[in-house]
PDB file of all heavy atoms in Angstrom:
ATOM      1  N   GLU H 129       5.172  10.094  -6.789  1.00 52.00           N
ATOM      2  CA  GLU H 129       6.233  10.381  -7.752  1.00 52.00           C
ATOM      3  C   GLU H 129       5.666  10.753  -9.111  1.00 52.00           C
ATOM      4  O   GLU H 129       6.168  11.644  -9.799  1.00 52.00           O
ATOM      5  CB  GLU H 129       7.134   9.124  -7.892  1.00 52.00           C
ATOM      6  CG  GLU H 129       7.984   8.860  -6.668  1.00 52.00           C
ATOM      7  CD  GLU H 129       8.837   7.603  -6.823  1.00 52.00           C
ATOM      8  OE1 GLU H 129       8.751   6.976  -7.891  1.00 52.00           O
ATOM      9  OE2 GLU H 129       9.531   7.244  -5.861  1.00 52.00           O
ATOM     10  N   THR H 130       4.604  10.054  -9.519  1.00 46.00           N
ATOM     11  CA  THR H 130       3.961  10.368 -10.804  1.00 46.00           C
ATOM     12  C   THR H 130       3.388  11.778 -10.802  1.00 46.00           C
ATOM     13  O   THR H 130       3.538  12.540 -11.778  1.00 46.00           O
ATOM     14  CB  THR H 130       2.845   9.349 -11.090  1.00 46.00           C
ATOM     15  OG1 THR H 130       3.405   8.038 -11.100  1.00 46.00           O
ATOM     16  CG2 THR H 130       2.188   9.646 -12.425  1.00 46.00           C
ATOM     17  N   THR H 131       2.743  12.136  -9.681  1.00 45.00           N
ATOM     18  CA  THR H 131       2.165  13.479  -9.588  1.00 45.00           C
ATOM     19  C   THR H 131       3.228  14.551  -9.661  1.00 45.00           C
ATOM     20  O   THR H 131       3.101  15.549 -10.367  1.00 45.00           O
ATOM     21  CB  THR H 131       1.392  13.632  -8.275  1.00 45.00           C
ATOM     22  OG1 THR H 131       0.365  12.636  -8.218  1.00 45.00           O
ATOM     23  CG2 THR H 131       0.781  15.019  -8.170  1.00 45.00           C
ATOM     24  N   VAL H 132       4.342  14.322  -8.970  1.00 39.00           N
ATOM     25  CA  VAL H 132       5.451  15.280  -8.979  1.00 39.00           C
ATOM     26  C   VAL H 132       6.025  15.402 -10.379  1.00 39.00           C
ATOM     27  O   VAL H 132       6.340  16.474 -10.870  1.00 39.00           O
ATOM     28  CB  VAL H 132       6.519  14.877  -7.967  1.00 39.00           C
ATOM     29  CG1 VAL H 132       7.783  15.730  -8.144  1.00 39.00           C
ATOM     30  CG2 VAL H 132       6.004  14.989  -6.557  1.00 39.00           C
ATOM     31  N   ALA H 133       6.210  14.256 -11.049  1.00 43.00           N
ATOM     32  CA  ALA H 133       6.763  14.241 -12.385  1.00 43.00           C
ATOM     33  C   ALA H 133       5.878  15.029 -13.379  1.00 43.00           C
ATOM     34  O   ALA H 133       6.359  15.795 -14.219  1.00 43.00           O
ATOM     35  CB  ALA H 133       6.940  12.829 -12.885  1.00 43.00           C
ATOM     36  N   ILE H 134       4.573  14.828 -13.242  1.00 45.00           N
ATOM     37  CA  ILE H 134       3.627  15.552 -14.125  1.00 45.00           C
ATOM     38  C   ILE H 134       3.702  17.040 -13.856  1.00 45.00           C
ATOM     39  O   ILE H 134       3.710  17.844 -14.780  1.00 45.00           O
ATOM     40  CB  ILE H 134       2.208  15.022 -13.917  1.00 45.00           C
ATOM     41  CG1 ILE H 134       2.085  13.581 -14.445  1.00 45.00           C
ATOM     42  CG2 ILE H 134       1.174  15.927 -14.619  1.00 45.00           C
ATOM     43  CD1 ILE H 134       0.747  12.908 -14.129  1.00 45.00           C
ATOM     44  N   ALA H 135       3.754  17.414 -12.580  1.00 41.00           N
ATOM     45  CA  ALA H 135       3.830  18.835 -12.221  1.00 41.00           C
ATOM     46  C   ALA H 135       5.103  19.468 -12.767  1.00 41.00           C
ATOM     47  O   ALA H 135       5.065  20.577 -13.293  1.00 41.00           O
ATOM     48  CB  ALA H 135       3.774  18.995 -10.689  1.00 41.00           C
ATOM     49  N   VAL H 136       6.203  18.755 -12.640  1.00 38.00           N
ATOM     50  CA  VAL H 136       7.491  19.259 -13.164  1.00 38.00           C
ATOM     51  C   VAL H 136       7.399  19.446 -14.684  1.00 38.00           C
ATOM     52  O   VAL H 136       7.866  20.429 -15.233  1.00 38.00           O
ATOM     53  CB  VAL H 136       8.648  18.330 -12.778  1.00 38.00           C
ATOM     54  CG1 VAL H 136       9.928  18.713 -13.539  1.00 38.00           C
ATOM     55  CG2 VAL H 136       8.876  18.371 -11.274  1.00 38.00           C
ATOM     56  N   ALA H 137       6.798  18.451 -15.354  1.00 43.00           N
ATOM     57  CA  ALA H 137       6.666  18.517 -16.793  1.00 43.00           C
ATOM     58  C   ALA H 137       5.835  19.686 -17.232  1.00 43.00           C
ATOM     59  O   ALA H 137       6.124  20.415 -18.207  1.00 43.00           O
ATOM     60  CB  ALA H 137       6.079  17.211 -17.332  1.00 43.00           C
ATOM     61  N   VAL H 138       4.710  19.926 -16.529  1.00 38.00           N
ATOM     62  CA  VAL H 138       3.818  21.044 -16.842  1.00 38.00           C
ATOM     63  C   VAL H 138       4.528  22.377 -16.682  1.00 38.00           C
ATOM     64  O   VAL H 138       4.464  23.262 -17.527  1.00 38.00           O
ATOM     65  CB  VAL H 138       2.548  20.994 -15.935  1.00 38.00           C
ATOM     66  CG1 VAL H 138       1.763  22.305 -16.092  1.00 38.00           C
ATOM     67  CG2 VAL H 138       1.689  19.819 -16.320  1.00 38.00           C
ATOM     68  N   VAL H 139       5.275  22.494 -15.579  1.00 37.00           N
ATOM     69  CA  VAL H 139       6.051  23.707 -15.334  1.00 37.00           C
ATOM     70  C   VAL H 139       7.093  23.927 -16.442  1.00 37.00           C
ATOM     71  O   VAL H 139       7.266  25.044 -16.947  1.00 37.00           O
ATOM     72  CB  VAL H 139       6.713  23.675 -13.956  1.00 37.00           C
ATOM     73  CG1 VAL H 139       7.693  24.851 -13.794  1.00 37.00           C
ATOM     74  CG2 VAL H 139       5.670  23.713 -12.840  1.00 37.00           C
ATOM     75  N   ALA H 140       7.760  22.850 -16.835  1.00 43.00           N
ATOM     76  CA  ALA H 140       8.777  22.945 -17.868  1.00 43.00           C
ATOM     77  C   ALA H 140       8.178  23.379 -19.204  1.00 43.00           C
ATOM     78  O   ALA H 140       8.734  24.217 -19.910  1.00 43.00           O
ATOM     79  CB  ALA H 140       9.495  21.607 -18.009  1.00 43.00           C
ATOM     80  N   VAL H 141       7.049  22.779 -19.550  1.00 38.00           N
ATOM     81  CA  VAL H 141       6.389  23.149 -20.808  1.00 38.00           C
ATOM     82  C   VAL H 141       5.959  24.601 -20.783  1.00 38.00           C
ATOM     83  O   VAL H 141       6.127  25.337 -21.738  1.00 38.00           O
ATOM     84  CB  VAL H 141       5.167  22.205 -21.072  1.00 38.00           C
ATOM     85  CG1 VAL H 141       4.351  22.746 -22.248  1.00 38.00           C
ATOM     86  CG2 VAL H 141       5.659  20.787 -21.374  1.00 38.00           C
ATOM     87  N   ALA H 142       5.362  25.033 -19.666  1.00 42.00           N
ATOM     88  CA  ALA H 142       4.899  26.407 -19.548  1.00 42.00           C
ATOM     89  C   ALA H 142       6.082  27.375 -19.652  1.00 42.00           C
ATOM     90  O   ALA H 142       5.996  28.421 -20.327  1.00 42.00           O
ATOM     91  CB  ALA H 142       4.155  26.617 -18.226  1.00 42.00           C
ATOM     92  N   ALA H 143       7.167  27.053 -18.958  1.00 40.00           N
ATOM     93  CA  ALA H 143       8.351  27.917 -19.000  1.00 40.00           C
ATOM     94  C   ALA H 143       8.914  27.996 -20.402  1.00 40.00           C
ATOM     95  O   ALA H 143       9.318  29.071 -20.894  1.00 40.00           O
ATOM     96  CB  ALA H 143       9.429  27.390 -18.030  1.00 40.00           C
ATOM     97  N   GLY H 144       8.940  26.855 -21.100  1.00 41.00           N
ATOM     98  CA  GLY H 144       9.451  26.837 -22.457  1.00 41.00           C
ATOM     99  C   GLY H 144       8.589  27.666 -23.384  1.00 41.00           C
ATOM    100  O   GLY H 144       9.082  28.419 -24.239  1.00 41.00           O
TER     101      GLY H 144
END
Side-chain angles (χ1 to χ4, degrees):
E129 289 178 3
T130 301
T131 302
V132 171
I134 292 173
V136 170
V138 169
V139 170
V141 170

